[in-house]
Amino acid sequence: MRWDEGVLPTPVETVVLHDFLLILSDALPDLAARWLAADVADSPAVRALAGADPRDPWNVEELLSTSIDELHATVPASMGERRAIAVEWVARTWLRSRDTRQAVSTLSRLALTNLDLPLRLDDFIGLDDEWTDLGTWGRTRAELEARATQLLTGFLRELPTDR
């Protein structure tokens, strides 16, 4: 993943993140425009995607698929690689936004809806539950923030430094 004004996933990473519902169809045209501006990817389908109507999910998803074909890119099939992309996206987005609550909620949802994700994401399920019931049981907001920050920082330390 690269940076421009935010975290900029590659087209391949975008397919994976879209599959995990971390990037929705209406965001795909904007991402394609950012790829063009950052010289990340360029093809006729990428240009068409950049100009596509974000309210037409079938068309933008079809253009994303065609873009992958035109770029001769390969989307990872292994769940391990796909999981790593999803967790990296959430961690890098958190690094930029510092929206700890959103990161916890997203990683909790990933852990609950993709049961074969790494066990260490289970911590986020508990954190999310505590955050939802904040003030009725469990840790304080500051304690939850501190634990989530520790976990997210750990993920970031494990990421390759050349990305």
Side-chain angles (χ1 to χ4, degrees):
M1 279 176 223
R2 296 177 47 158
W3 297 90
D4 56 2
E5 71 269 7
V7 183
L8 181 59
T10 66
V12 167
E13 292 164 339
T14 298
V15 169
V16 172
L17 295 169
H18 185 263
D19 289 348
F20 277 118
L21 301 178
L22 295 174
I23 292 178
L24 301 179
S25 298
D26 63 354
L28 296 175
D30 179 59
L31 277 174
R34 289 171 57 200
W35 296 332
L36 292 167
D39 201 24
V40 169
D42 190 359
S43 77
V46 170
R47 290 189 296 276
L49 179 55
D53 181 352
R55 295 167 299 188
D56 185 354
W58 182 88
N59 184 47
V60 296
E61 289 170 11
E62 190 67 28
L63 286 168
L64 177 61
S65 178
T66 303
S67 296
I68 293 298
D69 291 342
E70 287 180 359
L71 296 169
H72 306 289
T74 304
V75 177
S78 106
M79 187 51 76
E81 288 177 88
R82 295 169 70 80
R83 286 189 298 249
I85 290 168
V87 171
E88 178 179 355
W89 165 261
V90 174
R92 288 194 191 275
T93 300
W94 168 79
L95 184 63
R96 184 62 142 210
S97 72
R98 290 300 177 171
D99 187 344
T100 306
R101 179 65 185 114
Q102 179 65 35
V104 166
S105 176
T106 301
L107 290 170
S108 173
R109 181 176 52 82
L110 279 173
L112 287 169
T113 58
N114 300 280
L115 298 177
D116 56 349
L117 285 172
L119 288 177
R120 62 187 216 203
L121 285 186
D122 287 348
D123 289 339
F124 289 99
I125 297 170
L127 284 171
D128 191 44
D129 287 345
E130 284 186 68
W131 222 306
T132 299
D133 296 329
L134 192 63
T136 60
W137 67 278
R139 294 173 273 197
T140 65
R141 178 182 306 276
E143 291 168 327
L144 292 172
E145 287 267 354
R147 179 62 180 142
T149 296
Q150 180 185 35
L151 291 168
L152 288 161
T153 302
F155 286 141
L156 289 166
R157 272 195 301 268
E158 295 173 15
L159 295 175
T161 56
D162 62 338
R163 291 167 42 101

